Every structure is written in structure tokens, then in C-alpha cells.
Amino acid sequence: MMATLTSREEDYSKWYNELVIKADMAENSGVRGCMVIKPYGYAIWEKMQRQLDQMFKDTGHENAYFPLFIPKSYLSKESDHVEGFAKECAVVTHYRLKNSPDGKGVIVDPDAKLEEELIVRPTSETIIWNTYKNWIKSHRDLPILINQWANVVRWEMRTRLFLRTAEFLWQEGHTAHVSKEEAIEEAERMLNVYTDFVENFMGIPVIQGVKSPAERFAGAEETYCIEAMMQDGKALQAGTSHFLGQNFAKAFDVKYQSKEGKQEYVWATSWGVSTRLIGALIMSHSDDHGLVLPPNIAPIQVVIVPIHRNEEQLNAISELADILISQLKKLGISVKFDDRTEYKPGWKFNEYELKGVPVRVTIGPKDLENKQVEIARRDTLEKHQHSVDGLAEHIQDLLKEIQQNIFNKAKSHRDSLITEVNSYEEFKKVLDEKGGFISAHWDGSLEVEEKIKAETKATIRCIPLDAKEEEGVCIYSGNPSKRRVLFARAY
């Protein structure tokens, strides 16, 4: 398992691709643009899923499931929505195959054409709001707070494992409310849930904001987002929460009878995060040795590696390991005892370093004599000795320290990559030489936003929620501006 990675400094993109594959997280599949998520990568997704699912339920949401296929006519009902997704849709046109007349495989049966084409789910607003029409009659039926764990398809030409694939896994929340205020409160609540999760469990600092009109979700009146900064100075959108207004309710004629007996259109939100977050996890923390996983999200938090020459020594070490495993599990810590004899300790050290296991405990014959173990932490690569007395509690404290340290390191790096500029020349210089978030004045016009994007490939990542009103002039047009926004090149 002595895997050598290309260094981040040498080629960040190559480093990322090598790490995903060599750490056994995912691989490209036989289907163009789609990936196979391997057990270790999926274990990370499962842990993320469990945590988020509980957070959703704690805020009153329930899980449901809606069809993978969406009639084309549904997608046509909300004009902004269809325009936003039209170029990414996979379309089912036929429902049957038949043997080829030449005997070479199968062909699409031309007589099996669907009366109406079906779109493979790019997102579920349309099918869900068509369903909500049957669920909602009165104000007593509201709010509806539904989440769906599913896969979606958005046809991508340029793909990268976890970051951008034609099919990916995600969750999508879809809620219905009696008032605009309640819907906005819901959208903001879920943005805070995402922020809590990404910062406190994934160890990734984020900036909360709203998207510019050009970057909003198709069909939304407001898109709230959390933006993260990767080690290479590129931004990554880590989650979005959309206030949909009454757009989908009007498109699908979803009304409720108010307390006053009036027929009113429902107010809506949608929100989601995806397996893209695994890409963010890798690029926020990992190093040239491999993954660095925050303990809160690591599938294996502690690995115990025995060092022995014979079976007698292994048996003695196993007795201590069993006691430690029992103690750690009682503390809710996931632990693995790697007693495989076909691999040498050095090989195992490299494997778990590559896979980002936060804490490695090594026990050898001398350690047994001295009633101590060696502990290695993945975040700093530091090692120390600790007595077997109070060992489980020490490891528990160490995991908390590692979690905080990983976040602090990422935040320090992120903060160092936020630069204020006051001219377009300065903007381009910082973008090319330093990267990161660039805080600059913008006049609010779509024309300027598009020109900056075309000339520099930088987009407005968000208008920070905590942005203060500040009189200034747009770096591009020279027109008046009331606040700074954050630009960056992004994944």
C-alpha cells in the first residue's frame, strides 16, 4: 500500500484524482461520466447522511420518495426552471428493446415510442409540486416539511470524481408554507443547519450569503448558499437553500383555503447538498500523504496496529486491544483492530495514513511491558506515548482536539485567502497570483457580472449575509455600489 501521490504544489488536480482512487473512495465506471463509489467512500457518505438526516428530523422534517422520471410537460410549466436545466437533461423516449435483425445485440424498438418523453430527475420540484397539489387543500395541511434522499442526473461533459458527475447522490428538501415569512424563515433555518453540519462535522469553514440573480437556482426568488474555499484557492459551493416564492405553486395551481376562507397560493422552499461535499472534504484538509478526515466524519476514528514477531505476542497484544476497543465503543468511538498477519506494520501505517484515519494506536511487546502505547495523530503526524490507564478517555479528548485543529487550520487558510480590492487591475492581479475570495464592489448589473466572468472566469460566489453597507464604486464600471461581494474562480 506504499502509494505515492503527486504533490499538491506540483499538480493539484492530479493529486486530487490520484488520492480519490488510491484511498479507495471511488473510481470511474463503464458508464461515461458516472462513478462507482467504493465502500470506503460510501462509508463517509453514510456517516454524513446519518448526521444530516437526524438534523433534518430534529427540525421537524420527514423523509419521502418521489419518482425518478418526470413527464416533460411538468418541466415545461415553470419557464425559468426549464431554461435552467434544459441543457443537462437525460430524456427517455422509448420503453422497449428488441433483438437486432442482424443478430448483433439489441436495438430500440421503434414501435415502443413513449407518448410523452420522460426526463430522468435533474431535481424534483416539478414532480413534487404536482404531488403537493393533491396533498394541500387547507391551511391545516401546512406546513409540509419533506426531505428526499435520492440520485439525480445532470448530463455533464467534463466530469471529475465526486465534484462533477452525470449522476450523483444527494438530499433535497421541499417544503410548503402558508406565508412568505414562514418560507423565508425555513430557507434560512436550513442554511444554518448546513452551516452547522459542514463546519462542526466536516471541519470546513463556510461563508453564508445569497447568490446574485444570475447565479440563483432556476425558478427561485432567492438562493441562500454556503461557500467554502479549497486549498488551491478555488471556491466550492457547499450547500444551497432556495426561497421559491409562489412560482411553483402558481405553475402547478397549488392553493390552500386560509383561515379567512380565501384561496391562496402556497409559499415554497427547496434545499440540498450532495456527494460533492466529499470532494470538498478531500480538498479542504488532505495533504501529500493522503486523506485527512475530521473525526466526526471519519468511518474509522481509531485504528489499532499490533507489532509482533509471533502468535504468542499477538495474543497478548490482542488482550489489551480488546479491552481498549470495548472502552472506546462505550464512548461511541469507531475503532478497528488490524491484526492481519499478511501485511507488515509499515504497510498498515501507510494505508491508514492514506485513508485519513484520525488516530493510530500502536502496541508492541515493549509497550505491554511498560503498560503504554504509541499514539499517532493524522492531522499533525505527531506521535506520543500514553499509559494504558485512562487511555480511552485520552483518545476521546484527542479526537475532539483533532476535530478543532482541522477546522482551525482550514479557517486560517480560508481567511488568508480573502482579499479586498478596489480596482479591476488589482482584482485580476490577485485572482491570477493569489486566488481565493476577492471582496470587491459591484454595481449590481448583470452586464458587468457577465463581462467579469467572460474575461477572468471568476463569478460572484455570494453576497455575504453579514456584508455591511459601504459606499463605493464598482471595480469594473465605476458606477456607485453599496456593498462588497465575494468573487472567486470555482469548482
Side-chain angles (χ1 to χ4, degrees), residues 130 154 184 477:
N130 184 74
R154 296 181 185 174
I184 290 174
S477 67

Side-chain angles (χ1 to χ4, degrees), residues 438-452:
I438 300 179
S439 178
H441 279 283
W442 166 59
D443 65 10
S445 73
L446 177 61
E447 181 185 9
V448 165
E449 186 176 4
E450 287 180 340
K451 284 182 177 178
I452 291 175

Side-chain angles (χ1 to χ4, degrees), residues 230-465:
M230 304 297 98
Q231 292 177 13
D232 64 342
K234 284 186 180 179
L236 187 142
Q237 180 180 284
T240 51
S241 181
H242 316 289
F243 168 57
L244 301 177
Q246 295 176 310
N247 295 341
F248 286 92
K250 289 177 179 178
F252 289 89
D253 195 32
V254 184
K255 296 177 180 177
Y256 71 96
Q257 186 175 40
S258 69
K259 290 179 180 178
E260 294 74 30
K262 294 181 180 179
Q263 289 292 308
E264 304 279 0
Y265 283 110
V266 174
W267 296 84
T269 80
S270 66
W271 28 273
V273 297
S274 74
T275 40
R276 192 168 213 244
L277 277 180
I278 297 177
L281 183 73
I282 296 165
M283 292 195 295
S284 294
H285 307 311
S286 302
D287 59 25
D288 293 348
H289 300 278
L291 295 175
V292 175
L293 297 179
N296 287 350
I297 219 69
I300 305 167
Q301 295 171 305
V302 179
V303 63
I304 303 171
V305 178
I307 297 178
H308 57 93
R309 290 191 178 88
N310 53 52
E311 191 173 340
E312 184 182 355
Q313 290 179 342
L314 177 58
N315 290 337
I317 293 169
S318 297
E319 288 181 17
L320 175 58
D322 287 344
I323 294 170
L324 179 57
I325 290 167
S326 177
Q327 292 172 341
L328 290 173
K329 285 184 175 179
K330 284 179 181 177
L331 296 173
I333 296 168
S334 60
V335 56
K336 176 179 179 178
F337 179 42
D338 191 344
D339 58 354
R340 293 175 294 174
T341 56
E342 62 268 33
Y343 297 106
K344 293 183 177 180
W347 190 95
K348 295 177 185 178
F349 293 169
N350 186 263
E351 177 184 24
Y352 295 113
E353 196 170 88
L354 180 64
K355 290 194 168 187
V357 175
V359 170
R360 185 183 75 232
V361 176
T362 305
I363 309 173
K366 287 187 178 179
D367 295 314
L368 287 179
E369 289 178 21
N370 297 327
K371 294 185 179 180
Q372 64 180 25
V373 301
E374 180 185 81
I375 297 174
R377 49 188 288 179
R378 179 62 186 88
D379 60 330
T380 62
L381 300 176
E382 295 172 336
K383 300 175 185 177
H384 65 275
Q385 305 290 326
H386 194 279
S387 166
V388 296
D389 294 329
L391 181 56
E393 290 74 17
H394 171 69
I395 290 173
Q396 183 182 41
D397 292 340
L398 183 60
L399 288 169
K400 291 176 183 176
E401 183 183 324
I402 291 170
Q403 180 76 30
Q404 190 62 49
N405 182 56
I406 287 174
F407 175 81
N408 291 345
K409 185 178 179 182
K411 187 175 186 299
S412 177
H413 179 74
R414 192 276 310 274
D415 291 348
S416 74
L417 288 173
I418 301 176
T419 308
E420 278 195 10
V421 303
N422 295 301
S423 72
Y424 193 48
E425 289 306 311
E426 189 183 4
F427 176 92
K428 290 186 288 186
K429 187 173 192 281
V430 171
L431 191 64
D432 290 335
E433 295 179 7
K434 181 181 179 183
F437 288 121
I438 300 179
S439 178
H441 279 283
W442 166 59
D443 65 10
S445 73
L446 177 61
E447 181 185 9
V448 165
E449 186 176 4
E450 287 180 340
K451 284 182 177 178
I452 291 175
K453 181 178 179 179
E455 292 174 16
T456 68
K457 296 183 179 178
T459 55
I460 295 175
R461 301 316 304 160
C462 71
I463 304 164
L465 291 183

Side-chain angles (χ1 to χ4, degrees), residues 91-108:
V91 185
V92 180
T93 58
H94 292 72
Y95 61 85
R96 189 169 59 223
L97 300 173
K98 68 177 185 178
N99 288 322
S100 175
D102 60 11
K104 297 179 180 178
V106 294
I107 60 171
V108 173

Side-chain angles (χ1 to χ4, degrees), residues 169-181:
L169 305 181
W170 79 347
Q171 59 72 213
E172 49 180 323
H174 297 271
T175 69
H177 304 268
V178 295
S179 69
K180 177 179 180 178
E181 293 74 22

Side-chain angles (χ1 to χ4, degrees), residues 134-153:
N134 301 321
W135 293 6
I136 299 169
K137 302 300 178 188
S138 162
H139 64 89
R140 297 182 187 89
D141 300 322
L142 297 168
I144 291 178
L145 306 174
I146 294 293
N147 174 64
Q148 172 175 242
W149 291 97
N151 61 336
V152 291
V153 171

